[in-house]
Amino acid sequence: MNEAAKTRSTSMKKTSFLYRFFDLYYDGFKNMTLGKTLWLVILIKLFIIFIILKLLFFPNYIKSNAEDGKEAEFVKEQIWDR
């Protein structure tokens, strides 16, 4: 490829939507200072909400009450009985 074709090819890639989308977020997170700490706090809170609380407060009701292999039948009976 000649030099003009290489330049055109490179400039087309850098103007594509995906490249600009990635570059925007990459540059934003790279230059972030306080935001990194806030994202860490958010991720820790989400971990606590979805993992820890699920394990402690939401037991697997179907597995503990239905026979093995008949979970769908158990759910169907529960829905029809209510």
Side-chain angles (χ1 to χ4, degrees):
M1 281 170 47
N2 61 16
E3 198 62 38
K6 286 182 182 176
T7 305
R8 251 186 282 125
S9 174
T10 305
S11 66
M12 289 167 98
K13 289 180 183 174
K14 290 191 177 191
T15 58
S16 72
F17 174 74
L18 291 175
Y19 177 80
R20 288 184 291 134
F21 181 79
F22 173 77
D23 191 44
L24 174 74
Y25 282 96
Y26 179 76
D27 190 42
F29 280 108
K30 182 174 64 172
N31 295 326
M32 204 183 283
T33 55
L34 177 63
K36 288 180 184 178
T37 306
L38 294 175
W39 274 108
L40 181 64
V41 169
I42 290 169
L43 291 174
I44 290 171
K45 287 173 74 173
L46 287 173
F47 175 78
I48 290 171
I49 289 170
F50 288 111
I51 304 300
I52 305 297
L53 291 179
K54 179 176 180 351
L55 292 174
L56 293 176
F57 296 109
F58 302 109
N60 194 343
Y61 181 77
I62 295 173
K63 187 175 183 177
S64 62
N65 292 320
E67 298 175 14
D68 288 338
K70 297 189 178 188
E71 290 87 1
E73 185 68 30
F74 175 75
V75 172
K76 184 183 91 172
E77 289 174 9
Q78 293 299 310
I79 291 172
W80 283 109
D81 289 344
R82 292 177 191 227

